[in-house]
Amino acid sequence: MDIKTGQMEAGQTAVGADHAKFREMKEGTQEDWSIISKHYMEFASDLPDRVLTHLKLLEGDFGGFPVCRMEHSLQTATRAHRDGRGERYVVMALLHDIGDTLGTYNHPEVAAAILKPFVTEQEHWICQHHGAFQGYYFFHFLGMDKDVRDTFRDSPHFDACAEFCEKYDQAAFDPDYDSESLEFFEPMVRRVFAKPLSSMYVSDD
Ligand SMILES: [Fe+2]
Ligand SMILES: [Fe+2]
C-alpha cells in the first residue's frame, strides 16, 4: 500500500470495510456484493469519459488516409447528424471506428460490443458489419472481393448498413469538410451512455 495515496500496488491484498472479503467467489456474501455493487455503479457512471478518452487515441492517426481517424469519425458523425439521424445513430457513427486501436483485425466488432447496450439492434448490426460493407469501395484494390457484403443480403439490416457506408462512412475522408468538434458530440455521448437499453447486468424495472 502507498501510504500517501492509499493506493494498492499490483499483487497486494484488499483489506478493509470497502473491499469484499472473499478469496474465492464461491465464498462471497451479501455484504461483499453490496460493496462491489456500489463500486460498479460508480465505475459505470464514468463510462462516457473512458469512451471519449479512448476515442481521442484516433487523433493524428492517418494510416495513409487523407484525414486522420479522429477527423474521419467526426466527419462520419457530422454527416449523419446533418442528415437528420437520431442521437443513438449519430453516436454509433462517431464511435464506429473506435476499435481501430485494439481491434486491428476486427475493429467493427470491438466498436459494436461497446455500443451494443446503448443502441438499437439495427444500429448495432450496422456497426458490427460496416467493415465488410466498406469493402465494396476498396477490397478490389487489395485483391479481395468487393462484393463480400452480399454474404449478408438476407439480413433485414442490409440496406441500412449499405446506406450508412454510402452516405456517411465512405464519404468521410474530405480534408475540406466542415466537421463538428468532439465537444459538439460529447453531450450526445453522455446521454446515450447514461443508461443501457439492454444488458445482462441491468434489470428492466
Ligand atoms: Fe471502419
Ligand atoms: Fe469508418
Side-chain angles (χ1 to χ4, degrees):
M1 174 82 74
D2 182 321
I3 293 174
K4 288 191 197 127
T5 65
Q7 296 289 310
M8 289 195 305
E9 293 166 12
Q12 284 191 303
T13 309
V15 179
D18 205 29
H19 299 282
K21 305 286 192 301
F22 59 76
R23 306 227 168 180
E24 298 182 25
M25 245 185 201
K26 63 186 179 184
E27 299 169 351
T29 65
Q30 183 61 57
E31 184 185 356
D32 288 334
W33 285 96
S34 295
I35 292 168
I36 292 168
S37 295
K38 179 173 76 74
H39 282 266
Y40 179 83
M41 295 309 292
E42 291 169 3
F43 186 69
S45 68
D46 291 336
L47 177 59
D49 290 301
R50 290 193 296 278
V51 168
L52 289 164
T53 297
H54 199 88
L55 184 66
K56 289 174 186 169
L57 295 177
L58 303 182
E59 182 75 52
D61 179 5
F62 283 75
F65 285 92
V67 298
C68 75
R69 288 184 162 102
M70 174 62 100
E71 168 55 27
H72 169 69
S73 300
L74 294 171
Q75 196 171 137
T76 304
T78 301
R79 289 177 183 279
H81 174 67
R82 289 176 183 166
D83 200 30
R85 297 290 178 175
E87 193 157 89
R88 294 182 193 281
Y89 191 105
V90 171
V91 168
M92 180 274 289
L94 179 70
L95 302 181
H96 77 283
D97 281 337
I98 196 172
D100 270 339
T101 45
L102 292 176
T104 299
Y105 301 100
N106 65 338
H107 78 274
E109 294 172 81
V110 175
I114 294 167
L115 284 160
K116 187 174 183 181
F118 305 101
V119 296
T120 65
E121 180 187 337
Q122 181 168 89
E123 288 157 352
H124 174 258
W125 200 97
I126 290 170
C127 187
Q128 185 167 10
H129 294 85
H130 82 265
F133 282 65
Q134 281 287 94
Y136 182 72
Y137 303 96
F138 71 92
F139 277 0
H140 46 297
F141 296 122
L142 303 177
M144 297 158 64
D145 180 8
K146 73 193 283 282
D147 294 315
V148 71
R149 68 179 189 174
D150 286 345
T151 312
F152 305 103
R153 280 279 174 197
D154 292 339
S155 169
H157 307 306
F158 183 96
D159 290 344
C161 193
E163 185 180 31
F164 168 78
C165 290
E166 173 67 23
K167 286 186 172 178
Y168 316 127
D169 197 359
Q170 72 81 29
F173 295 94
D174 182 353
D176 298 320
Y177 187 79
D178 179 26
S179 298
E180 299 289 356
S181 65
L182 183 58
E183 288 69 33
F184 177 84
F185 294 108
E186 188 175 321
M188 298 187 198
V189 172
R190 294 192 183 284
R191 282 192 292 270
V192 167
F193 278 82
K195 190 174 189 316
L197 296 175
S198 62
S199 166
M200 67 182 286
Y201 298 113
V202 178
S203 62
D204 291 334
D205 51 49

